[in-house]
Amino acid sequence: MTENPTSSLPVPGRVAGRVVIVTGGARGIGAACVRRLLAEGARVVVADVLEAEGAALAAELGEHAAYVPLDVTSEDGWRRAVAAAEAAFGPVSGLVNNAGIVHVDPIETLSEADYRRVIDVNQVGVFLGMKAVIGSMRRAGGGSIVNISSTGGLIGYSRILGYVASKWAVRGMTKTAAQELGPDGIRVNSVHPGFTRSEMTADSARSHEQARHQPLARQAEPLEIAHLVLFLISDEAGYCTGSEFVADGGFTSL
Ligand code: NAD
């Protein structure tokens, strides 16, 4: 991918020709990213542990989408996923590291196993994903990596220590990766959604209640996060790397 600083205004097909892997793409924010990127001309790989949902989404979207089974904690799984993406569509020029889990417990009763499980998916998964796509992105001539962090990567939240630790880590990992990969034409940024309507938050009283007291007094729709991800994958963000992009209805302004 050649970044062209003189390219003009956004046109339909803002990511035409890109090959983008979206982890956790079977539902929620990830699925919204898949749909948005596809609508703007990308070839998109839905990479998720949810085989039925991922395959159904790819089938619904047609020949420019494919489902690849991926557990983001597996380095072998990542090798297979990138190889499958290349075989289907060509070198990978976009990665949305979106897969994530949350575990709710106060520190005092939080088990080591539950803490490590969250770190493994949300933090180690992002490391393995960035590592896995570098060679393919070089072959593509460059690329854009978007790591989905959270407002939990900007502030603290009680009872989700592992989640907050992982999301702060993702923010720092993003900056380090941006420094290492800039010379290859690979941009790396983090996105920090606030309270967003999804299965992750469906049973979260805190998500519903706290959103009511922020400047934009509602949860985000997944599509509102996907718009930001699309921008960062596209050349419109050609001078953006190593940065945080917040979409939180004003929550962290309070
Ligand atoms: P979700 O639970 O609807 O979706 C998460 C997806 O990740 C699912 O499809 C799930 O199968 C997949 N996944 C989980 N573990 C995986 C693994 N090991 N390998 C591959 N895929 C795996 O939740 P969501 O709200 O859409 O969350 C998407 C991302 O956005 C997460 O990283 C989450 O932390 C982040 N986020 C969400 C909110 C929110 O309020 N919903 C706020 C800030 C950040």
Side-chain angles (χ1 to χ4, degrees):
M1 179 178 60
T2 306
E3 304 282 1
N4 178 4
T6 64
S7 66
S8 55
L9 294 171
V11 290
R14 291 160 65 191
V15 288
R18 303 295 165 82
V19 176
V20 186
I21 297 174
V22 180
T23 71
R27 73 180 193 201
I29 292 171
C33 293
V34 168
R35 291 178 185 280
R36 198 69 199 89
L37 289 160
L38 199 89
E40 293 290 344
R43 309 286 193 262
V44 186
V45 172
V46 179
D48 204 301
V49 286
L50 293 178
E51 302 207 1
E53 291 89 336
L57 178 63
E60 175 203 326
L61 295 175
E63 62 182 356
H64 294 163
Y67 167 69
V68 172
L70 173 66
D71 180 339
V72 295
T73 66
S74 162
E75 188 156 26
D76 276 350
W78 270 107
R79 278 194 210 99
R80 287 194 295 273
V82 172
E86 285 212 7
F89 300 129
V92 175
S93 48
L95 169 64
V96 185
N97 273 318
N98 164 79
I101 59 173
V102 67
H103 178 86
V104 184
D105 246 329
I107 297 168
E108 199 173 6
T109 55
L110 175 61
S111 74
E112 181 183 346
D114 284 332
Y115 181 85
R116 287 187 188 276
R117 190 167 51 87
V118 171
I119 296 294
D120 209 22
V121 175
N122 296 7
Q123 179 178 334
V124 179
V126 169
F127 154 56
L128 294 176
M130 294 196 293
K131 181 179 175 185
V133 297
I134 293 170
S136 195
M137 286 193 173
R138 286 205 186 105
R139 285 191 287 284
S144 171
I145 298 172
V146 180
N147 294 326
I148 305 298
S149 175
S150 166
T151 49
L154 301 168
I155 59 174
Y157 288 100
S158 63
R159 293 180 287 116
I160 51 171
L161 185 79
Y163 185 85
V164 167
S166 70
K167 294 301 187 179
W168 277 77
V170 165
R171 181 174 161 210
M173 291 155 66
T174 296
K175 294 182 189 306
T176 294
Q179 291 175 20
E180 286 189 26
L181 301 177
D184 291 306
I186 300 172
R187 298 182 291 100
V188 191
N189 292 287
S190 56
V191 162
H192 301 258
F195 306 111
T196 305
R197 188 182 58 78
S198 75
E199 293 203 30
M200 182 180 278
T201 56
D203 299 327
S204 167
R206 168 158 61 188
S207 180
H208 292 277
E209 183 54 25
Q210 294 202 324
R212 289 190 341 151
H213 298 291
Q214 67 191 21
L216 303 181
R218 60 172 177 83
Q219 289 184 317
E221 290 299 317
L223 185 61
E224 294 178 295
I225 309 305
H227 288 314
L228 183 51
V229 171
L230 169 67
F231 165 72
L232 289 169
I233 292 289
S234 81
D235 281 345
E236 295 159 27
Y239 199 53
C240 301
T241 199
S243 288
E244 299 99 346
F245 292 81
V246 181
D248 71 349
F251 183 73
T252 54
S253 73
L254 295 171

